[in-house]
């Protein structure tokens, strides 16, 4: 094995980690600091120095892709035979080797079982996405909870169902899974834990086979995984962990950075290495990230740029629709400068925000790709389309879509404590109702309505190499030449559901992850009609005293606006809907500014579609006349 290749191009701290071939070693690796290079070179050096045979080394990570990348790099360095696997693959392999593998196999997805269980829920909860239920069960099982211990542990937790219903779903899931003779991925780890805890011979055999362990992304380890890791070690200290607590963003799965941060305390003689030289981003991007870092807590790290200077990040405060247009125009400019569209990313907090950008890029003729499934591919679209299939020839577009959305459990003002997938579903249903009202001209049929949506959002408008639209969570581990971070506002980032200090801290880490995805171009923006994110204030990019423009605009003091607001409030109460469902503030302001005196003039106001013109037109004109 070529020692020169192992140490080629390493900086002093990386070299220090690679030279530490015996454990314990704790590598605190900042974003873009070459952590994968460092740990693969260290493993190769463990083999090259004769400290361990390749076959006696186990490297665990969280995705098959990451494990494959690790194996590929190790083979290129000549360290063939190292076991690089995910936690689950490693545990399953051990169960097979020791004759304790689950006979019925593994469920590929909890949704297979939960779809049937969820049908028994009371009507208000029947349409909750099974993805939210699956996430909650994973949260529980990763904390080693059972249906019997769930309720107490989940006290005060924001869950997709009330505790008694969630326990029932958990119990139903376990019963149906057992009836099928299947186990899930968390069960695989529990079976391995039980085997090594109860079978001394199996434990000793494993310890003879595996001499040292490396754990990647250690900030994402949960209690279930840590319990198995402790049994793998069996009191030994041949352990190397690498991670970044500043990128700990998966608490909803049960992950915690406490294991990473507590490593030096558990092993006082551990070699602790900090990787702070960043090979991804320009000094200007890192300067912004470092402003946020002191508020992230945990291990102190300050990223240092290796790359040359780039442009300064930009910060914009724009009118709502203008923010989307700003993103589109900047993308055009970047493409004209030669930046590949696939190297441009737009990040958002939840998938519900993808639709606006999908439509804008389609209208602009700019190819894009949605990492987690576009607007028309999500649950709300699929189910609405199925409900409306028999009414394809009807021209009552708005009424039909609204009725179908209500049948799907649409709530104009949904609870704020719902699971994330349900919030996305509710936002999608609201978007469909709004689009139907805008496009209902009395001539277009339901089939025509869907054809129009296909043009705006459909798969034909998506390109594999287009601008990447994805959530902050999905962006972790990726990097892009240019990154847009729109809607940096309160109730968006941090998301409105984040209440506790710990939840706000994780939202702040999400922004840090977003910033550090950018190589050279970084664009931050918000709407002037919303309160700026507290994180922008912490970065010195917004005034904490700033209030949404709509609260201070002179238009709000005019008789027209006051009259329209009074009318809207009365109408909303009469219809039993929130005021914004009647008209957004921006639409009221536009009406007040243009002062239409007829339906024809009112139809020219942005935000007034045929349905709303028919429903509210005469009353709006009367309110203006009275003012």
């Amino acid at each position: 094995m070529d020692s020169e290749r192992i140490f080629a191009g390493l900086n002093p701290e990386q070299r220090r980690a690679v030279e530490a071939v015996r454990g314990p070693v704790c590598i605190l690796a900042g974003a873009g600091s070459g952590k994968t290079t460092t740990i693969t070179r260290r493993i190769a050096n463990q083999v090259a120095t004769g400290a361990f045979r390749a076959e006696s080394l186990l490297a665990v990570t969280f995705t098959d892709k990451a494990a494959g990348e690790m194996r590929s790099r190790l083979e290129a360095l000549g360290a063939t035979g190292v076991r690089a696997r995910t936690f689950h693959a490693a545990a399953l392999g051990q169960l097979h080797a020791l004759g304790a593998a689950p006979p019925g196999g593994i469920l590929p997805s909890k949704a297979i079982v939960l779809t049937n269980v969820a049908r028994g829920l009371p009507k208000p909860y029947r349409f909750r996405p099974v993805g939210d239920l699956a996430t909650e069960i994973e949260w529980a099982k990763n904390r080693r909870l059972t249906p019997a211990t769930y309720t107490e542990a989940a006290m005060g937790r924001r869950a997709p169902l009330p505790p008694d219903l969630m326990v029932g779903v958990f119990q139903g899931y376990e019963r149906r899974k057992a009836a099928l003779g299947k186990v899930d991925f968390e069960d695989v780890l529990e079976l391995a834990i039980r085997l090594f805890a109860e079978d001394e011979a199996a434990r000793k055999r494993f310890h003879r086979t595996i001499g040292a362990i490396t754990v990647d992304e250690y900030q994402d380890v949960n209690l279930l995984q840590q319990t198995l890791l402790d049994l793998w070690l069996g009191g030994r200290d041949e352990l190397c962990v690498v991670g970044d607590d500043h990128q700990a963003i998966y608490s909803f799965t049960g992950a915690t950075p406490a294991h990473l941060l507590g490593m030096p305390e558990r092993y006082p003689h551990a070699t602790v290495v900090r990787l702070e030289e960043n090979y991804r981003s320009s000094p200007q991007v890192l300067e912004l990230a470092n402003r946020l870092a002191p508020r992230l807590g945990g291990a102190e790290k300050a990223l240092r740029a290796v790359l040359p200077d780039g442009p300064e990040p930009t910060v914009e405060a724009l009118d709502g629709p203008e923010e989307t247009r700003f993103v589109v125009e900047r993308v055009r400019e970047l493409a004209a400068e030669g930046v590949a569209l696939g190297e441009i990313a737009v990040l958002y907090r939840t998938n519900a925000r993808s639709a606006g950008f999908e439509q804008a890029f389609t209208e602009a003729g700019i190819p894009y790709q949605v990492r987690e499934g576009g607007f028309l591919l999500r649950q709300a679209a699929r189910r609405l389309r199925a409900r409306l299939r028999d009414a394809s020839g009807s021209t009552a577009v708005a009424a039909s879509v609204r009725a179908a959305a209500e049948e799907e459990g649409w709530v104009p003002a949904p609870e704020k404590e719902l699971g994330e997938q349900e919030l996305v579903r509710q936002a999608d249903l609201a978007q469909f109702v709004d689009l139907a009202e805008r496009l209902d001209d009395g001539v277009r049929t339901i089939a025509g309505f869907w054809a129009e949506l296909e043009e705006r959002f459909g798969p034909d408008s998506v390109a594999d190499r287009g601008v990447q639209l994805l959530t902050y969570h999905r962006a972790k581990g990726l990097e892009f030449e240019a990154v847009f971070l729109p809607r940096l506002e309160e109730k968006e980032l941090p998301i409105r559901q984040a209440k506790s200090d710990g939840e706000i801290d994780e939202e702040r880490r999400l922004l840090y992850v977003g910033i550090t995805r950018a190589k050279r171009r970084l664009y931050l923006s918000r709407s002037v009609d919303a309160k700026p994110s507290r994180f922008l204030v912490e970065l010195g990019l917004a005034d904490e005293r700033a209030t949404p423009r709509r609260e201070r605009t002179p238009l709000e003091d005019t008789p027209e606006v006051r009259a329209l607001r009074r009318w809207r409030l009365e109408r909303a109460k009469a219809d039993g809907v929130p005021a914004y469902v009647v008209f957004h503030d921006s639409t009221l302001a536009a009406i007040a500014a243009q002062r239409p005196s007829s339906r024809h003039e009112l139809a020219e106001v942005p935000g007034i579609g045929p349905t709303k013109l028919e429903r509210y037109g005469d009353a709006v004109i009367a309110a203006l006349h009275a003012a």
Side-chain angles (χ1 to χ4, degrees):
M1 193 177 297
D2 188 349
S3 181
E4 278 190 28
R5 274 202 302 161
I6 291 174
F7 288 95
L10 298 181
N11 66 43
E13 284 303 294
Q14 289 174 328
R15 187 180 187 93
R16 180 166 165 253
V18 171
E19 288 174 339
V21 294
R22 306 301 300 235
V25 176
C26 177
I27 304 173
L28 299 169
S33 62
K35 71 174 181 64
T36 305
T37 295
T38 303
I39 59 172
T40 50
R41 301 284 188 93
R42 179 183 182 272
I43 293 169
N45 200 38
Q46 287 180 298
V47 177
T49 58
F52 296 93
R53 292 177 299 104
E55 296 78 12
S56 71
L57 296 175
L58 173 63
V60 288
T61 186
F62 285 84
T63 67
D64 291 328
K65 181 180 178 182
E69 171 70 13
M70 198 177 290
R71 283 193 297 271
S72 176
R73 292 198 190 197
L74 288 168
E75 288 169 5
L77 290 166
T80 304
V82 175
R83 305 164 197 244
R85 297 172 183 169
T86 64
F87 269 99
H88 297 96
L92 187 60
Q94 292 155 19
L95 291 171
H96 277 292
L98 295 167
I106 302 173
L107 274 177
S109 167
K110 291 181 177 63
I112 295 171
V113 173
L114 283 171
T115 298
N116 290 323
V117 175
R119 289 194 183 115
L121 286 168
K123 190 173 182 180
Y125 305 101
R126 200 168 296 158
F127 298 108
R128 295 287 163 86
V130 293
D132 281 339
L133 306 181
T135 297
E136 188 67 7
I137 289 174
E138 286 166 11
W139 173 86
K141 299 186 82 163
N142 284 336
R143 283 168 170 74
R144 306 195 71 193
L145 300 174
T146 66
T149 58
Y150 169 83
T151 301
E152 184 177 353
M155 288 285 288
R157 174 172 167 75
R158 187 177 69 249
L161 295 173
D164 58 331
L165 292 179
M166 193 63 231
V167 168
V169 168
F170 197 170
Q171 290 172 331
Y173 168 76
E174 291 295 322
R175 281 196 302 268
R176 285 178 178 268
K177 177 164 58 71
L180 292 170
K182 301 283 187 181
V183 298
D184 59 27
F185 288 106
E186 291 77 31
D187 292 334
V188 170
L189 300 191
E190 280 289 0
L191 288 170
I193 288 170
R194 191 180 309 159
L195 174 68
F196 290 127
E198 298 174 357
D199 189 335
E200 185 179 359
R203 194 164 60 245
K204 286 183 176 179
R205 178 178 169 183
F206 177 82
H207 294 160
R208 286 194 302 270
T209 305
I210 300 298
I213 301 172
T214 300
V215 184
D216 190 17
E217 301 286 6
Y218 194 51
Q219 80 279 349
D220 294 333
V221 163
N222 57 48
L223 176 62
L224 185 61
Q225 293 159 337
Q226 182 63 43
T227 303
L228 180 57
L229 177 60
D230 289 339
L231 286 166
W232 282 346
L233 289 167
R236 299 171 296 169
D237 64 1
E238 286 299 343
L239 173 67
C240 172
V241 301
V242 59
D244 182 8
D245 56 296
H246 289 177
Q247 297 186 74
I249 58 174
Y250 294 112
S251 66
F252 62 88
T253 68
T256 170
H259 303 298
L260 172 66
L261 295 173
M263 171 85 172
E265 186 176 335
R266 295 197 308 277
Y267 300 96
H269 58 300
T271 299
V272 179
V273 179
R274 282 180 167 78
L275 302 184
E276 298 177 311
E277 289 194 9
N278 178 283
Y279 296 88
R280 174 188 299 152
S281 305
S282 70
Q284 287 74 15
V285 170
L286 295 185
E287 191 276 330
L288 195 61
N290 285 335
R291 278 194 233 170
L292 200 60
R295 295 179 179 270
L296 301 177
E300 184 178 340
K301 291 182 290 294
L303 299 176
R304 301 188 299 274
V306 172
L307 300 178
D309 281 347
E312 290 288 342
T314 68
V315 187
E316 302 285 344
L318 303 156
D319 288 331
E322 286 298 323
E323 187 178 19
T324 303
R325 284 194 283 271
F326 162 78
V327 173
V328 170
E329 289 308 310
R330 288 297 175 276
V331 167
R332 283 190 195 280
E333 293 172 6
L334 290 168
E337 293 171 17
V339 178
L341 292 177
E343 278 289 315
I344 303 172
V346 181
L347 308 189
Y348 34 75
R349 180 60 181 83
T350 71
N351 278 322
R353 295 303 179 199
S354 76
F357 292 106
E358 290 179 63
Q359 181 170 350
F361 283 124
T362 298
E363 291 172 352
I366 297 174
Y368 66 89
Q369 50 186 312
V370 185
R371 282 272 179 154
E372 288 131 316
F375 179 54
L376 293 187
L377 300 177
R378 296 197 285 263
Q379 179 185 347
R382 295 197 308 271
R383 291 183 63 93
L384 276 185
R385 195 164 200 165
R387 283 192 180 274
L388 294 167
R389 190 169 291 129
D390 293 338
S392 60
S394 170
T395 57
V397 173
S400 299
V401 171
R402 176 179 280 270
E406 289 170 352
E407 288 171 4
E408 283 294 311
W410 172 55
V411 181
E415 301 170 34
K416 297 174 183 177
E417 303 302 315
L418 297 173
E420 186 164 311
Q421 291 190 40
E422 174 62 4
L423 286 169
V424 171
R425 193 181 77 90
Q426 288 289 340
D428 284 352
L429 290 171
Q431 174 96 333
F432 274 109
V433 172
D434 184 61
L435 284 165
E437 291 183 345
R438 290 171 182 268
L439 296 174
D440 189 346
D441 56 6
V443 177
R444 181 182 278 111
T445 62
I446 293 290
F449 171 67
W450 282 107
E452 175 68 22
L453 296 190
E454 287 287 355
E455 287 187 18
R456 297 187 182 203
F457 306 100
D460 289 343
S461 65
V462 180
D464 290 339
R465 304 193 179 203
V467 177
Q468 305 208 39
L469 307 180
L470 65 169
T471 62
Y472 285 85
H473 284 99
R474 188 63 188 265
K476 184 178 177 292
L478 304 177
E479 57 185 43
F480 308 94
E481 178 68 20
V483 171
F484 290 85
L485 305 179
R487 301 184 71 96
L488 293 178
E489 303 147 10
E490 289 294 296
K491 301 181 181 179
E492 285 281 338
L493 192 70
I495 197 169
R496 72 169 66 240
Q497 289 77 30
K499 305 295 184 185
S500 68
D501 290 344
E503 289 171 332
I504 295 296
D505 289 343
E506 184 151 328
E507 295 291 300
R508 186 181 289 108
R509 292 195 292 270
L510 277 173
L511 178 57
Y512 181 82
V513 166
I515 291 171
T516 54
R517 298 312 93 196
K519 296 178 184 177
R520 288 176 55 81
R521 317 289 187 107
L522 180 62
Y523 303 88
L524 299 89
S525 61
R526 67 178 179 88
S527 170
V528 293
D529 292 329
K531 188 175 182 181
S533 168
R534 68 193 72 183
F535 307 143
L536 282 181
V537 175
E538 293 170 1
L539 287 167
L541 301 177
D543 188 339
E544 64 182 338
R545 296 167 298 180
T547 56
R549 188 181 64 173
R550 62 175 178 268
E551 295 176 7
R552 62 188 185 196
T553 174
L555 276 174
E556 296 204 357
D557 296 327
T558 66
E560 290 85 357
V561 170
R562 287 197 296 271
L564 288 170
R565 278 187 174 278
R566 283 195 301 270
W567 166 79
R568 182 179 65 172
L569 181 60
E570 292 169 2
R571 183 60 187 254
K573 286 180 178 178
D575 291 351
V577 298
Y580 72 82
V581 172
V582 178
F583 281 129
H584 287 285
D585 278 1
S586 58
T587 305
L588 285 193
I591 295 170
Q594 296 187 29
R595 300 180 184 178
S597 59
S598 67
R599 279 196 177 200
H600 177 73
E601 292 178 1
L602 183 60
E604 298 299 316
V605 177
I608 306 290
T611 300
K612 292 199 174 184
L613 184 66
E614 180 65 30
R615 185 177 297 166
Y616 308 128
D618 292 340
V620 167
I621 292 166
L624 283 173
H625 180 74

